[in-house]
Amino acid sequence: MRSRLAPALVATALVLGAALPATAAEPRPDTAGATAPASPSAQDIVDSLPKSVYTGALIRRDGVGAAMGPVVPDAYFRIGSTTKIFTQTVVLQLVAERRIGLDTPVRTYLPTIVPAAYERVTVGQLLDHTSGFPQPARTPGPDDGAGWWLRSVTPTGLLSASFAAAADRSETPPDPGSVQQYNGLNAFALGLIVEKVTGRSFAHELRHRIIRPLGLRHTSLPAADDPAIPSPHARVYIDGDEVTEQSPYPWAEGGMISTAADLDRFLTALFRGRLLPPAQQKLVFAVPHASSATTNTNCAGRKACFSVGGLMRYKLPNGQSVWGKTGSRPGWDNGFFATRDLGHRVVYSLNPTGADSGIAYIRRIVIASLMD
């Protein structure tokens, strides 16, 4: 959800645009007799990041980590919207168990939360961001004064406020399935559906289904009242305020904490089909045939780019498609991407100063890491 970020961070890690910036490293054709340049290491990539834009950074490329500033390669960080991939994987596991139906209306599970205006929206449309749910209501930010980073909203409260605001504006939802608009409300609804059908907390299902089976010992979804982050970690600031400890209220949408090594392990397991049966594994990379909303800055052009599994398809300058997800929390910009065959993969976590949007540097990281 973009609305929860401080102004200097808005959209930094949510967007990987179509055009490669002129400053990014581009492949050069070899000249006769010349030796092709070596593929950059994780340390090469992290060393290229300007300290005026990032106070700290860590990158793990093909299993090898590197760091810059007062950060170590195995530091913990708040992964933000990268959490959605965990959430959607849990949902697809429950689909495989026939406990959730892709074509089942969301109101079947959440009748008191989702208004009748959205009665045709299905679980599958939450997964591929074609639900047409309204934009999220306002969430805590710097305008709320001191301590805003510790304030929170509940999943049901945020959904209810967002639907109420849309009704007050007399908004008519788009036809479900027709337009893809990246929207964090979808993930909050998915988390609530998991709890409804299992009778257990979303955090329990996450631990039981993904974290423990994969041995992700440094990955967690903190309780709603737990602002702490394990050490080692970066200390992060917004407008001079240290916000390292902050509310994990984004929950199933963006509340998890992890490390680069754990995210690398999760990404590898997901791509190799270790978490889902074949039928649901196909959906991990299945992008709907829908247009991209004009307000959607995540996808290049006018075509959808998010899959049913929540992954974003991004095209490298050489035409190759790679898959991954970005995510932000105040003080952190993160993401992971990989080629479909896992020939190359990258996990990154950046601590921005706010001096630059950082989008060009995120593209540079992805391209340098994944393109031969």
Side-chain angles (χ1 to χ4, degrees), residues 50-366:
K51 293 180 175 58
S52 60
V53 178
Y54 298 108
T55 60
L58 63 88
I59 291 175
R60 186 177 181 87
R61 181 182 189 266
D62 295 342
V64 178
M68 175 189 86
V71 182
V72 292
D74 61 349
Y76 290 82
F77 51 92
R78 300 184 187 276
I79 72 173
S81 288
T82 311
T83 301
K84 290 185 178 72
I85 309 303
F86 287 82
T87 299
Q88 298 192 206
T89 301
V90 170
V91 172
L92 288 175
Q93 288 178 343
L94 289 165
V95 169
E97 295 166 15
R98 301 192 177 185
R99 300 170 74 181
I100 293 178
L102 285 177
D103 297 325
T104 302
V106 178
R107 291 195 83 226
T108 301
Y109 304 104
L110 307 175
T112 63
I113 298 173
V114 178
Y118 300 87
E119 64 183 356
R120 293 189 297 123
V121 176
T122 66
V123 172
Q125 290 159 350
L126 294 180
L127 289 166
D128 68 17
H129 292 289
T130 62
S131 67
F133 273 12
Q135 286 303 297
R138 187 177 178 278
T139 53
D143 290 343
D144 294 312
W148 61 267
W149 52 91
L150 296 173
R151 299 178 187 176
S152 64
V153 296
T154 65
T156 54
L158 182 60
L159 282 161
S160 297
S162 302
F163 287 126
D168 289 343
R169 295 189 297 266
S170 299
E171 286 185 5
T172 301
D175 228 10
S178 63
V179 178
Q180 187 174 77
Q181 173 60 60
Y182 181 81
N183 189 338
L185 291 186
N186 297 323
F188 281 106
L190 289 168
L192 291 173
I193 291 172
V194 169
E195 294 193 333
K196 180 69 176 289
V197 302
T198 64
R200 291 181 289 269
S201 72
F202 175 73
H204 170 90
E205 293 300 309
L206 190 62
R207 288 192 301 270
H208 174 70
R209 294 171 174 276
I210 297 178
I211 293 176
R212 287 175 182 166
L214 294 184
L216 306 181
R217 294 180 296 167
H218 307 290
T219 299
S220 65
L221 177 61
D225 60 353
D226 182 6
I229 181 171
S231 294
H233 58 72
R235 297 177 63 181
V236 298
Y237 300 82
I238 301 294
D239 297 331
D241 293 316
E242 183 175 354
V243 300
T244 307
E245 291 200 346
Q246 54 187 259
S247 170
Y249 75 82
W251 190 54
E253 189 272 339
M256 292 179 68
I257 292 171
S258 191
T259 64
D262 270 14
L263 289 182
D264 189 30
R265 179 177 291 188
F266 168 69
L267 179 70
T268 300
L270 179 65
F271 277 44
R272 286 181 175 166
R274 290 181 53 197
L275 293 168
L276 295 166
Q280 286 68 44
Q281 181 67 19
K282 290 180 181 178
L283 298 177
V284 171
F285 301 96
V287 176
H289 296 290
S291 62
S292 180
T294 56
T295 55
N296 190 9
T297 56
N298 299 282
C299 302
R302 296 299 305 277
K303 292 184 178 180
C305 70
F306 286 98
S307 72
V308 178
L311 295 173
M312 186 173 76
R313 181 174 58 196
Y314 176 64
K315 186 172 290 188
L316 299 176
N318 64 1
Q320 181 181 16
S321 288
V322 296
W323 300 83
K325 185 70 182 70
T326 58
S328 295
R329 288 297 291 142
W332 282 277
D333 284 347
N334 322 293
F336 56 42
F337 282 84
T339 57
R340 179 66 185 86
D341 63 359
L342 292 173
H344 289 302
R345 60 195 193 278
V346 64
V347 182
Y348 64 87
S349 180
L350 316 173
N351 305 122
T353 64
D356 187 288
S357 72
I359 294 172
Y361 298 106
I362 293 172
R363 291 180 185 143
R364 182 182 295 181
I365 290 168
V366 174

